[in-house]
Amino acid sequence: MKKIDVFNHIWPEPFFNALIKQIGSMSDMTKRSGDVPMMTNLDRRFEVMDMFGEDYCQILSLASPPLEKFGDPAIALELSRIGSDSMAELCQKYPERFPGFVGTVPISHPEGMVTESKRAIEELGALGMQIFTNVNGTPLDLPAYAPFFEYMDSVGKPIWLHPARGQDFSDYKSESRSEYEIFWTFGWPYETSAAMARMVFSQFFDKWPNLKVITHHAGGMIPFFEGRVGPGWDQMGKRTSDRDLSTVRTSLKRPHLEYFKEFYADTASFGSRKAIEHAIEFFGEDRVMFASDAPFDPEGGPLYIRETINLIERMDLSDELRRKIFQDNAVKLMGLKL
C-alpha cells in the first residue's frame, strides 16, 4: 500500500528563481516558505521522504501565496507556466517519489486561466489544478472565472482548493491588520468554508455536475458546523431584511447540505484526530485522502507527515478504509497508475 500525500508544497528551483527575480526579497508568507529548506532543496526533501519508507510519495503543488499576489496577470501566467514545467520535470525524473503534480491556475489572467490549465493537464499530464479561495479579494463565483470551472468540468480533473488570506485582512473593523496571525489560524478555515458556500449557493454543482473539488485542511469549518450548515441554513433569508433570499435554496436541484458533502477533503489537520474523524463522518469514506501539508511544521517537514501517518494508523478504522485514505481514494479520483 502506498501512502500518497495529496496536498503538500514545493517551490522547484526554476520557479523559486523566477519568483525571487520578480519580488526581489521575501516577506511574510513568502519568507515563511523560503526559510524552509525542504521547500526549495530537493536533497533535503528526499531526506525527509526517506524517513517514511519507499511507500511514501507526494503529489506536488506550489506553495501559497496565490500567483496573482506577485504581479499583474501576465506575471501570474508566466509563473504558472514555470511552476508546471518544473514540477512535470520532477515527476518524469522521479516517478516513484512524485507520481503526479498539480498545476496552479493564473486565474487573474482572462485567457490564461483556461489555456494554461489545458496545457498543464493535456500536455504536461497534471492531475488537476490548484486555485485559491479568493482572487485578490474577489469571490470565485464571479462570471469572469466561469470559463475555468467549465473547462475543469469538461475534463473531469479535480481542483485543489487552497485558502488565501494575509495579515492585511484584519480581525476587527477598527484595525488595519490581523493580530497574532489570527488570519491564518482561524481565517484560513473560514476562507475555505466561505468559498465552498459560494460554490454551492451559486449552483456550481448544478451547472457543472462533473466538478471535483479537494478542500485543504479537512474541509475547513464545514464538518464541525454541520448543524449550522444544514438545518441552520434551512432558514436562509429570515435574518436578512434588505433583499429576498428565499429562492436561493429552492433554486438548487437538491437540498443544499448534499452539495457540501460532494467536496473532497484531505487529512492535513496538524495532528488533530477529531478533524480527520469529522471529515470522514461528513464527506464519507470515499472522499477523504491522506495529506500532510508538509513542509510547514516546526521541524521543517517531517513532523506533520509523521503525526498524520501515526494518527491514521492508530485510529479505529477498518483496513479497507485505511487503504482508501492512504491510497485508493486518490488513485480513483486522479486516475493514478502506481
Side-chain angles (χ1 to χ4, degrees), residues 133-181:
T133 50
N134 68 80
V135 185
N136 279 332
T138 62
L140 294 175
D141 56 359
L142 291 185
Y145 309 139
F148 165 70
F149 296 103
E150 290 174 358
Y151 170 72
M152 295 303 289
D153 175 72
S154 72
V155 294
K157 296 292 185 179
I159 296 168
W160 275 249
L161 181 64
H162 195 291
R165 182 182 287 208
Q167 66 180 14
D168 61 337
F169 198 117
S170 66
D171 312 307
Y172 295 92
K173 287 183 178 181
S174 63
E175 298 178 340
S176 61
R177 59 175 288 165
S178 174
E179 297 293 346
Y180 315 116
E181 298 182 352

Short mmCIF file of all heavy atoms in Angstrom, two decimals, residues 133-181:
data_model
loop_
_atom_site.label_atom_id
_atom_site.label_comp_id
_atom_site.label_asym_id
_atom_site.label_seq_id
_atom_site.Cartn_x
_atom_site.Cartn_y
_atom_site.Cartn_z
N THR A 133 -8.90 30.45 -2.49
CA THR A 133 -10.29 30.70 -2.09
C THR A 133 -10.80 32.07 -2.49
O THR A 133 -12.01 32.33 -2.41
CB THR A 133 -10.42 30.54 -0.56
OG1 THR A 133 -9.39 31.30 0.09
CG2 THR A 133 -10.31 29.07 -0.16
N ASN A 134 -9.91 32.97 -2.89
CA ASN A 134 -10.34 34.25 -3.45
C ASN A 134 -9.27 34.69 -4.44
O ASN A 134 -8.15 34.18 -4.43
CB ASN A 134 -10.57 35.30 -2.35
CG ASN A 134 -9.28 35.73 -1.67
OD1 ASN A 134 -8.52 36.55 -2.20
ND2 ASN A 134 -9.02 35.18 -0.49
N VAL A 135 -9.63 35.61 -5.29
CA VAL A 135 -8.71 36.12 -6.30
C VAL A 135 -8.54 37.62 -6.05
O VAL A 135 -9.40 38.42 -6.42
CB VAL A 135 -9.24 35.87 -7.73
CG1 VAL A 135 -8.20 36.32 -8.76
CG2 VAL A 135 -9.61 34.41 -7.91
N ASN A 136 -7.45 37.95 -5.38
CA ASN A 136 -7.22 39.35 -4.99
C ASN A 136 -8.43 39.95 -4.30
O ASN A 136 -8.83 41.10 -4.56
CB ASN A 136 -6.84 40.20 -6.22
CG ASN A 136 -5.37 40.05 -6.58
OD1 ASN A 136 -4.53 39.78 -5.72
ND2 ASN A 136 -5.06 40.21 -7.86
N GLY A 137 -9.06 39.16 -3.43
CA GLY A 137 -10.19 39.64 -2.65
C GLY A 137 -11.53 39.50 -3.32
O GLY A 137 -12.55 39.88 -2.74
N THR A 138 -11.58 38.93 -4.53
CA THR A 138 -12.86 38.73 -5.22
C THR A 138 -13.27 37.27 -5.12
O THR A 138 -12.42 36.38 -5.09
CB THR A 138 -12.76 39.14 -6.70
OG1 THR A 138 -11.79 38.31 -7.36
CG2 THR A 138 -12.36 40.60 -6.83
N PRO A 139 -14.59 36.99 -5.07
CA PRO A 139 -15.06 35.62 -4.88
C PRO A 139 -14.94 34.78 -6.15
O PRO A 139 -14.94 35.31 -7.27
CB PRO A 139 -16.53 35.81 -4.49
CG PRO A 139 -16.92 37.10 -5.14
CD PRO A 139 -15.70 37.96 -5.09
N LEU A 140 -14.89 33.49 -5.96
CA LEU A 140 -14.71 32.56 -7.07
C LEU A 140 -15.93 32.46 -7.97
O LEU A 140 -15.83 31.95 -9.09
CB LEU A 140 -14.36 31.17 -6.54
CG LEU A 140 -13.02 31.05 -5.82
CD1 LEU A 140 -12.87 29.63 -5.24
CD2 LEU A 140 -11.86 31.37 -6.74
N ASP A 141 -17.08 32.91 -7.51
CA ASP A 141 -18.29 32.76 -8.32
C ASP A 141 -18.57 33.95 -9.24
O ASP A 141 -19.66 34.07 -9.80
CB ASP A 141 -19.52 32.48 -7.44
CG ASP A 141 -19.75 33.52 -6.36
OD1 ASP A 141 -18.95 34.48 -6.27
OD2 ASP A 141 -20.73 33.39 -5.61
N LEU A 142 -17.58 34.82 -9.44
CA LEU A 142 -17.74 35.88 -10.43
C LEU A 142 -17.82 35.28 -11.83
O LEU A 142 -17.11 34.32 -12.15
CB LEU A 142 -16.58 36.87 -10.37
CG LEU A 142 -16.47 37.77 -9.13
CD1 LEU A 142 -15.32 38.76 -9.31
CD2 LEU A 142 -17.77 38.51 -8.86
N PRO A 143 -18.65 35.83 -12.70
CA PRO A 143 -18.77 35.30 -14.06
C PRO A 143 -17.44 35.25 -14.81
O PRO A 143 -17.25 34.38 -15.67
CB PRO A 143 -19.74 36.27 -14.73
CG PRO A 143 -20.56 36.82 -13.61
CD PRO A 143 -19.63 36.92 -12.44
N ALA A 144 -16.52 36.14 -14.50
CA ALA A 144 -15.23 36.18 -15.19
C ALA A 144 -14.44 34.90 -15.02
O ALA A 144 -13.61 34.56 -15.88
CB ALA A 144 -14.41 37.37 -14.69
N TYR A 145 -14.67 34.17 -13.92
CA TYR A 145 -13.90 32.96 -13.64
C TYR A 145 -14.59 31.70 -14.12
O TYR A 145 -14.03 30.60 -14.04
CB TYR A 145 -13.60 32.85 -12.14
CG TYR A 145 -13.00 34.10 -11.54
CD1 TYR A 145 -13.40 34.57 -10.29
CD2 TYR A 145 -12.03 34.83 -12.23
CE1 TYR A 145 -12.86 35.72 -9.74
CE2 TYR A 145 -11.49 36.00 -11.68
CZ TYR A 145 -11.91 36.44 -10.44
OH TYR A 145 -11.37 37.58 -9.90
N ALA A 146 -15.81 31.83 -14.61
CA ALA A 146 -16.59 30.66 -15.03
C ALA A 146 -15.92 29.80 -16.09
O ALA A 146 -16.02 28.57 -16.04
CB ALA A 146 -17.98 31.09 -15.50
N PRO A 147 -15.20 30.38 -17.08
CA PRO A 147 -14.58 29.52 -18.10
C PRO A 147 -13.63 28.48 -17.53
O PRO A 147 -13.54 27.37 -18.06
CB PRO A 147 -13.83 30.53 -18.98
CG PRO A 147 -14.63 31.79 -18.86
CD PRO A 147 -15.08 31.81 -17.42
N PHE A 148 -12.94 28.82 -16.44
CA PHE A 148 -12.05 27.83 -15.82
C PHE A 148 -12.84 26.66 -15.28
O PHE A 148 -12.48 25.49 -15.52
CB PHE A 148 -11.23 28.47 -14.70
CG PHE A 148 -10.58 27.46 -13.79
CD1 PHE A 148 -9.51 26.70 -14.24
CD2 PHE A 148 -11.05 27.25 -12.50
CE1 PHE A 148 -8.93 25.74 -13.43
CE2 PHE A 148 -10.47 26.30 -11.68
CZ PHE A 148 -9.39 25.54 -12.14
N PHE A 149 -13.92 26.92 -14.57
CA PHE A 149 -14.72 25.84 -13.99
C PHE A 149 -15.41 25.03 -15.08
O PHE A 149 -15.56 23.81 -14.95
CB PHE A 149 -15.72 26.40 -12.98
CG PHE A 149 -15.06 27.04 -11.79
CD1 PHE A 149 -14.99 28.42 -11.68
CD2 PHE A 149 -14.49 26.27 -10.80
CE1 PHE A 149 -14.35 29.02 -10.59
CE2 PHE A 149 -13.87 26.84 -9.70
CZ PHE A 149 -13.80 28.23 -9.60
N GLU A 150 -15.80 25.68 -16.14
CA GLU A 150 -16.38 24.97 -17.28
C GLU A 150 -15.37 23.99 -17.86
O GLU A 150 -15.70 22.84 -18.20
CB GLU A 150 -16.83 25.96 -18.35
CG GLU A 150 -18.04 26.78 -17.96
CD GLU A 150 -18.36 27.85 -18.98
OE1 GLU A 150 -17.61 27.99 -19.98
OE2 GLU A 150 -19.36 28.58 -18.77
N TYR A 151 -14.13 24.44 -17.98
CA TYR A 151 -13.09 23.56 -18.53
C TYR A 151 -12.84 22.37 -17.60
O TYR A 151 -12.77 21.21 -18.04
CB TYR A 151 -11.79 24.32 -18.77
CG TYR A 151 -10.65 23.38 -19.11
CD1 TYR A 151 -10.60 22.75 -20.34
CD2 TYR A 151 -9.65 23.10 -18.17
CE1 TYR A 151 -9.57 21.85 -20.65
CE2 TYR A 151 -8.62 22.22 -18.48
CZ TYR A 151 -8.59 21.59 -19.71
OH TYR A 151 -7.59 20.69 -20.00
N MET A 152 -12.71 22.63 -16.31
CA MET A 152 -12.42 21.54 -15.36
C MET A 152 -13.57 20.55 -15.31
O MET A 152 -13.36 19.34 -15.16
CB MET A 152 -12.14 22.11 -13.97
CG MET A 152 -10.87 22.96 -13.90
SD MET A 152 -9.36 22.11 -14.44
CE MET A 152 -9.12 20.96 -13.08
N ASP A 153 -14.78 21.03 -15.44
CA ASP A 153 -15.93 20.13 -15.52
C ASP A 153 -15.85 19.26 -16.77
O ASP A 153 -16.15 18.06 -16.73
CB ASP A 153 -17.22 20.95 -15.54
CG ASP A 153 -18.46 20.10 -15.73
OD1 ASP A 153 -18.84 19.38 -14.79
OD2 ASP A 153 -19.05 20.15 -16.83
N SER A 154 -15.41 19.82 -17.87
CA SER A 154 -15.37 19.09 -19.13
C SER A 154 -14.32 17.98 -19.13
O SER A 154 -14.51 16.94 -19.77
CB SER A 154 -15.11 20.05 -20.30
OG SER A 154 -13.77 20.53 -20.30
N VAL A 155 -13.20 18.20 -18.43
CA VAL A 155 -12.14 17.18 -18.42
C VAL A 155 -12.24 16.25 -17.21
O VAL A 155 -11.56 15.22 -17.17
CB VAL A 155 -10.73 17.83 -18.48
CG1 VAL A 155 -10.53 18.52 -19.81
CG2 VAL A 155 -10.50 18.80 -17.32
N GLY A 156 -13.03 16.62 -16.22
CA GLY A 156 -13.23 15.76 -15.06
C GLY A 156 -12.05 15.65 -14.14
O GLY A 156 -11.96 14.71 -13.35
N LYS A 157 -11.14 16.61 -14.20
CA LYS A 157 -9.97 16.59 -13.32
C LYS A 157 -10.26 17.39 -12.05
O LYS A 157 -10.96 18.41 -12.09
CB LYS A 157 -8.75 17.18 -14.03
CG LYS A 157 -8.29 16.39 -15.25
CD LYS A 157 -7.73 15.04 -14.83
CE LYS A 157 -7.16 14.29 -16.03
NZ LYS A 157 -6.59 12.98 -15.64
N PRO A 158 -9.71 16.96 -10.91
CA PRO A 158 -10.02 17.66 -9.66
C PRO A 158 -9.34 19.01 -9.52
O PRO A 158 -8.30 19.27 -10.13
CB PRO A 158 -9.52 16.69 -8.58
CG PRO A 158 -8.51 15.83 -9.27
CD PRO A 158 -8.93 15.73 -10.69
N ILE A 159 -9.96 19.85 -8.72
CA ILE A 159 -9.44 21.16 -8.33
C ILE A 159 -8.97 21.07 -6.89
O ILE A 159 -9.71 20.61 -6.02
CB ILE A 159 -10.52 22.24 -8.46
CG1 ILE A 159 -10.95 22.41 -9.93
CG2 ILE A 159 -10.04 23.58 -7.89
CD1 ILE A 159 -12.20 23.25 -10.09
N TRP A 160 -7.75 21.49 -6.63
CA TRP A 160 -7.24 21.59 -5.27
C TRP A 160 -7.55 23.01 -4.78
O TRP A 160 -7.10 23.99 -5.39
CB TRP A 160 -5.73 21.36 -5.24
CG TRP A 160 -5.27 19.94 -5.16
CD1 TRP A 160 -4.67 19.34 -4.09
CD2 TRP A 160 -5.31 18.92 -6.20
NE1 TRP A 160 -4.36 18.03 -4.38
CE2 TRP A 160 -4.74 17.74 -5.67
CE3 TRP A 160 -5.79 18.90 -7.51
CZ2 TRP A 160 -4.62 16.57 -6.41
CZ3 TRP A 160 -5.68 17.73 -8.25
CH2 TRP A 160 -5.11 16.58 -7.69
N LEU A 161 -8.33 23.13 -3.70
CA LEU A 161 -8.74 24.43 -3.18
C LEU A 161 -7.91 24.79 -1.95
O LEU A 161 -8.01 24.14 -0.90
CB LEU A 161 -10.23 24.41 -2.82
CG LEU A 161 -10.83 25.71 -2.28
CD1 LEU A 161 -10.78 26.81 -3.33
CD2 LEU A 161 -12.28 25.48 -1.82
N HIS A 162 -7.11 25.84 -2.08
CA HIS A 162 -6.21 26.26 -1.00
C HIS A 162 -6.66 27.60 -0.43
O HIS A 162 -6.97 28.52 -1.18
CB HIS A 162 -4.78 26.39 -1.55
CG HIS A 162 -3.73 26.46 -0.47
ND1 HIS A 162 -3.61 27.55 0.36
CD2 HIS A 162 -2.77 25.59 -0.10
CE1 HIS A 162 -2.61 27.33 1.20
NE2 HIS A 162 -2.09 26.15 0.95
N PRO A 163 -6.72 27.74 0.90
CA PRO A 163 -7.13 29.02 1.47
C PRO A 163 -6.10 30.11 1.23
O PRO A 163 -4.90 29.85 1.11
CB PRO A 163 -7.26 28.71 2.97
CG PRO A 163 -6.39 27.51 3.20
CD PRO A 163 -6.44 26.71 1.93
N ALA A 164 -6.58 31.35 1.18
CA ALA A 164 -5.71 32.51 0.98
C ALA A 164 -6.23 33.69 1.78
O ALA A 164 -7.34 34.16 1.55
CB ALA A 164 -5.64 32.88 -0.50
N ARG A 165 -5.44 34.11 2.73
CA ARG A 165 -5.75 35.32 3.50
C ARG A 165 -4.46 35.77 4.15
O ARG A 165 -3.69 34.94 4.64
CB ARG A 165 -6.82 35.05 4.56
CG ARG A 165 -7.20 36.30 5.36
CD ARG A 165 -8.23 36.02 6.44
NE ARG A 165 -9.55 35.78 5.88
CZ ARG A 165 -10.68 36.04 6.53
NH1 ARG A 165 -10.65 36.56 7.74
NH2 ARG A 165 -11.85 35.78 5.97
N GLY A 166 -4.20 37.07 4.16
CA GLY A 166 -2.97 37.60 4.75
C GLY A 166 -3.23 38.47 5.95
O GLY A 166 -4.39 38.71 6.34
N GLN A 167 -2.16 38.97 6.54
CA GLN A 167 -2.30 39.77 7.74
C GLN A 167 -2.99 41.11 7.48
O GLN A 167 -3.46 41.77 8.41
CB GLN A 167 -0.94 40.02 8.38
CG GLN A 167 0.01 40.88 7.57
CD GLN A 167 1.34 41.08 8.28
OE1 GLN A 167 1.66 40.40 9.25
NE2 GLN A 167 2.12 42.02 7.78
N ASP A 168 -3.10 41.51 6.22
CA ASP A 168 -3.81 42.75 5.91
C ASP A 168 -5.31 42.60 6.02
O ASP A 168 -6.04 43.59 5.91
CB ASP A 168 -3.42 43.25 4.51
CG ASP A 168 -3.79 42.26 3.41
OD1 ASP A 168 -3.92 41.06 3.73
OD2 ASP A 168 -3.91 42.68 2.25
N PHE A 169 -5.80 41.38 6.23
CA PHE A 169 -7.24 41.13 6.44
C PHE A 169 -7.45 41.17 7.95
O PHE A 169 -7.21 40.20 8.66
CB PHE A 169 -7.64 39.77 5.87
CG PHE A 169 -9.12 39.62 5.64
CD1 PHE A 169 -9.63 39.43 4.37
CD2 PHE A 169 -10.01 39.66 6.71
CE1 PHE A 169 -10.98 39.28 4.15
CE2 PHE A 169 -11.36 39.53 6.51
CZ PHE A 169 -11.86 39.33 5.22
N SER A 170 -7.91 42.30 8.45
CA SER A 170 -7.97 42.50 9.90
C SER A 170 -9.10 41.70 10.54
O SER A 170 -10.06 41.30 9.88
CB SER A 170 -8.16 43.99 10.22
OG SER A 170 -9.42 44.44 9.76
N ASP A 171 -8.98 41.50 11.82
CA ASP A 171 -9.97 40.75 12.59
C ASP A 171 -11.10 41.65 13.09
O ASP A 171 -12.18 41.16 13.43
CB ASP A 171 -9.30 40.07 13.78
CG ASP A 171 -8.04 39.32 13.38
OD1 ASP A 171 -8.13 38.50 12.45
OD2 ASP A 171 -6.97 39.59 13.96
N TYR A 172 -10.86 42.96 13.12
CA TYR A 172 -11.85 43.93 13.57
C TYR A 172 -11.85 45.13 12.63
O TYR A 172 -10.80 45.52 12.10
CB TYR A 172 -11.56 44.40 15.00
CG TYR A 172 -11.69 43.30 16.03
CD1 TYR A 172 -10.59 42.53 16.40
CD2 TYR A 172 -12.92 43.01 16.61
CE1 TYR A 172 -10.71 41.50 17.32
CE2 TYR A 172 -13.05 41.99 17.54
CZ TYR A 172 -11.94 41.24 17.89
OH TYR A 172 -12.07 40.22 18.81
N LYS A 173 -13.02 45.71 12.41
CA LYS A 173 -13.13 46.84 11.50
C LYS A 173 -12.26 48.01 11.91
O LYS A 173 -11.81 48.80 11.08
CB LYS A 173 -14.59 47.30 11.43
CG LYS A 173 -15.51 46.37 10.66
CD LYS A 173 -16.91 46.96 10.59
CE LYS A 173 -17.85 46.07 9.79
NZ LYS A 173 -19.22 46.64 9.70
N SER A 174 -12.01 48.14 13.20
CA SER A 174 -11.26 49.29 13.70
C SER A 174 -9.76 49.16 13.50
O SER A 174 -9.01 50.10 13.74
CB SER A 174 -11.55 49.49 15.19
OG SER A 174 -11.10 48.35 15.94
N GLU A 175 -9.31 48.00 13.03
CA GLU A 175 -7.88 47.75 12.89
C GLU A 175 -7.51 47.56 11.42
O GLU A 175 -8.36 47.24 10.58
CB GLU A 175 -7.47 46.52 13.71
CG GLU A 175 -7.72 46.70 15.19
CD GLU A 175 -7.36 45.47 16.01
OE1 GLU A 175 -7.28 44.36 15.44
OE2 GLU A 175 -7.18 45.61 17.24
N SER A 176 -6.23 47.73 11.12
CA SER A 176 -5.76 47.65 9.74
C SER A 176 -5.07 46.33 9.44
O SER A 176 -4.74 46.05 8.29
CB SER A 176 -4.79 48.80 9.45
OG SER A 176 -3.65 48.72 10.31
N ARG A 177 -4.85 45.51 10.46
CA ARG A 177 -4.18 44.24 10.24
C ARG A 177 -4.66 43.20 11.24
O ARG A 177 -5.20 43.54 12.29
CB ARG A 177 -2.65 44.38 10.36
CG ARG A 177 -2.18 44.89 11.70
CD ARG A 177 -0.66 44.89 11.80
NE ARG A 177 -0.13 43.54 11.93
CZ ARG A 177 1.15 43.23 11.74
NH1 ARG A 177 2.02 44.16 11.42
NH2 ARG A 177 1.57 41.99 11.89
N SER A 178 -4.44 41.95 10.91
CA SER A 178 -4.78 40.85 11.81
C SER A 178 -3.65 40.67 12.82
O SER A 178 -2.48 40.62 12.45
CB SER A 178 -4.98 39.57 11.01
OG SER A 178 -5.19 38.46 11.86
N GLU A 179 -4.01 40.58 14.06
CA GLU A 179 -3.02 40.39 15.12
C GLU A 179 -2.82 38.91 15.43
O GLU A 179 -3.74 38.09 15.24
CB GLU A 179 -3.44 41.13 16.38
CG GLU A 179 -3.54 42.64 16.21
CD GLU A 179 -2.19 43.30 15.96
OE1 GLU A 179 -1.14 42.65 16.18
OE2 GLU A 179 -2.19 44.46 15.52
N TYR A 180 -1.64 38.57 15.91
CA TYR A 180 -1.31 37.23 16.41
C TYR A 180 -1.51 36.12 15.37
O TYR A 180 -1.73 34.97 15.71
CB TYR A 180 -2.14 36.91 17.68
CG TYR A 180 -2.18 38.05 18.66
CD1 TYR A 180 -3.39 38.69 18.97
CD2 TYR A 180 -1.02 38.53 19.26
CE1 TYR A 180 -3.43 39.75 19.86
CE2 TYR A 180 -1.05 39.60 20.15
CZ TYR A 180 -2.25 40.19 20.44
OH TYR A 180 -2.29 41.26 21.31
N GLU A 181 -1.46 36.52 14.10
CA GLU A 181 -1.64 35.57 12.99
C GLU A 181 -3.00 34.85 13.04
O GLU A 181 -3.14 33.71 12.59
CB GLU A 181 -0.48 34.57 12.92
CG GLU A 181 0.85 35.27 12.66
CD GLU A 181 2.03 34.33 12.53
OE1 GLU A 181 1.86 33.11 12.79
OE2 GLU A 181 3.11 34.80 12.18
#
